[in-house]
Amino acid sequence: MTRALMLQGTGSDVGKSLLVAGLARAFTRRGLTVRPFKPQNMSNNAAVTADGGEIGRAQALQARAARVAPSVHMNPVLLKPQSEVGAQVVVQGHMIGTAKAREYQSWKPRLMESVLDSFERLRAEADIVLVEGAGSPAEVNLRRGDIANMGFARATGTPVVLVGDIDRGGVIASLVGTQAVLEPDDAAMIRGFIVNRFRGDPTLFSDGMALIAGRTGWSPFGLVPFFPDAARLPPEDAVALDAPPIRRDGAGPLIAVLQFPHIANFDDLDPLRQEPGLRVVFVPPGAPIPAEADLIVLPGSKTTIDDLDCLRAQGWDVDIRAHLRRGRRVLGLCGGYQMLGRSIADPLGIEGAPRDLPGLGLLDVETVMTGEKRLVAVTGTTRADGAPFSGYEMHVGDTTGPDTARPLLHFSDGRADGAVSRDGLVAGTYVHGLFADDRQRAAWLARLGAAPSLTRYEAGIEEVLDRFADHLETHLDCDGLLRLR
C-alpha cells in the first residue's frame, strides 16, 4: 500500500506547509512519486488547478515542489473566510455554499467522504502522500467530527509527526502539552516530532530534544535551523502580512498596497516585494496611504463590497483621488478592479445580503456579481506595450462599460480583459499572478521609472525549493520518516 505521512503542528504557522513542500522536493529528487495533501485548509490565498478548480496556495506550492500539476484532490476542503464567524466552503475545487462556524461542524461527516475520496485518488497514483494538518490537534474542543487532524489520521491509519516552532518560544511545553491533552488513541498516532525554526547553536538544545523524547516517548526526527529564504516563497495566508516589511535601501519607487480586512491572493505582489529597486508597503486599516506613493494597488478581496466600505471608512478614497491629482498611477486586481468602477451590484447575495454600492468611479465600468465563478489559467500580452504575462482568473462577476474598450490585457485566446482610464493613470484587471512574468514586471517597473533587478522570479522559486530540500536532508532524519508506517 502507498505510504502516507502526516505533519501536524502544535499550532498554526509553525511551518507545516513549508516542511511538506521541502520534503516533497527532497523525496521527488530521490525518485519517488509524491503527492501533497491537506484535508481541510482555511485561506483566501488560492490557486487555480489543472482540473479546473481551486485549492489553497500552499498545496499549489507543494505540488510544484513535487513537480506535478496541482489538483483539486490535493486540498478537497477549502474554507475561504468571509467574516469573523463564517466562510465560503469549497469542496474538491468548487464552492458548495457558505457556512457559519457552528453550522460548519454539522457539515463535517459528509465532507469527510470527499476528503477520503480525494486521498484515495492520490494514493492510487503515488509512492508516498505527504499530508498536512490544520491548526493543531491540541484544539481538542474541535475533536468531534474532525477531518483535518486526528480524525483524518485515525480514519486512514496515517502516522503523524508533530511539528513545534521554537522561534515563538515554549516549544517544549507545546509538544509535551499536546500529548497531555490528546485522547490516548489519538496520541498513539504520533510517532515522532520535529522542532522547527531554530536560531543559534543547535547543541544548546540537545537536552531539550532529549527531554521532549523522554516525556513523550516520541522519536526526534530533527531540529531544523531557521531558513531565511522561506520568505521568498508564496505565502499561504495573511499571517505573512504581520511580518516586518522587506527593507529596501535608497529611494526607489514606492508601491502602496491596501490591506483590506478580507484581502485575497496578495501573493500577486510577491514578485514586486522581492525587487531590490522597489519599496512595497501594505497599508493597514487606520493608516493613511503614503503621499509619496508612485503606485497604489487595490488587491483582491474575498468580500469586495465590505472591503469597499472599509476603504471609504479609512478615508482611502480621498487619498486615492489626491494621488491621482499628483499624476500618479492606480491599479486594481480582481476585487480591487471591481471597486474602481462606478458601481457593484450583488443581486444574488453572493457576498451576503443582496445590495448595490457605488464604486470609486475612477473607471467607467460597472460590475454585477454572478453565481458562476471563473477559474482558468490565462496567458497573453498587455495592450499598451505587448509585454507577455501568464496568470489565472478566479472571480465572480461581470464587468462592462466604456472603459473596457481600452483593455489592459489581450488574452492568447483572443479575449480582452480589464480597463484603462482615458488618461491612462487608472487600470484594472481580473488576472492574478501578473507580475510573476519577468517581462511583464519589467514593463511595470519601466512605467514607474525603475529598472528591474530580479530577472528570474520563477526560477528563483525553484532554487529556493531545492536549497530548502537540501536543508531538510541535512537536518532531518528523512530516511527515518520514510520508514514510518
Side-chain angles (χ1 to χ4, degrees), residues 65-133:
R67 297 195 172 111
V68 295
S71 162
V72 297
H73 298 296
M74 294 174 180
N75 176 204
V77 178
L78 173 62
L79 305 178
K80 305 186 80 172
Q82 290 185 306
S83 69
E84 294 300 314
V85 296
Q88 188 182 92
V89 183
V90 177
V91 177
Q92 292 183 331
H94 300 281
M95 186 184 75
I96 64 167
T98 58
K100 300 289 187 182
R102 184 170 296 280
E103 178 188 9
Y104 177 71
Q105 302 305 312
S106 67
W107 292 25
K108 287 184 176 181
R110 61 189 174 99
L111 293 178
M112 180 63 107
E113 296 177 10
S114 297
V115 166
L116 297 178
D117 172 66
S118 290
F119 178 66
E120 291 303 326
R121 289 171 186 259
L122 294 183
R123 193 151 65 167
E125 62 188 41
D127 296 316
I128 184 169
V129 180
L130 295 176
V131 185
E132 178 189 344

Side-chain angles (χ1 to χ4, degrees), residues 22-34:
L23 289 172
R25 177 56 58 93
F27 294 159
T28 297
R29 294 191 313 190
R30 291 185 176 205
L32 296 174
T33 300
V34 181

Side-chain angles (χ1 to χ4, degrees), residues 22-74:
L23 289 172
R25 177 56 58 93
F27 294 159
T28 297
R29 294 191 313 190
R30 291 185 176 205
L32 296 174
T33 300
V34 181
R35 295 292 183 269
F37 182 73
K38 184 162 186 172
Q40 173 191 288
N41 198 355
M42 178 176 283
S43 177
N44 275 333
N45 269 9
V48 170
T49 64
D51 41 5
E54 59 179 311
I55 60 174
R57 165 61 59 189
Q59 281 61 64
L61 178 66
Q62 292 161 358
R64 179 173 184 163
R67 297 195 172 111
V68 295
S71 162
V72 297
H73 298 296
M74 294 174 180

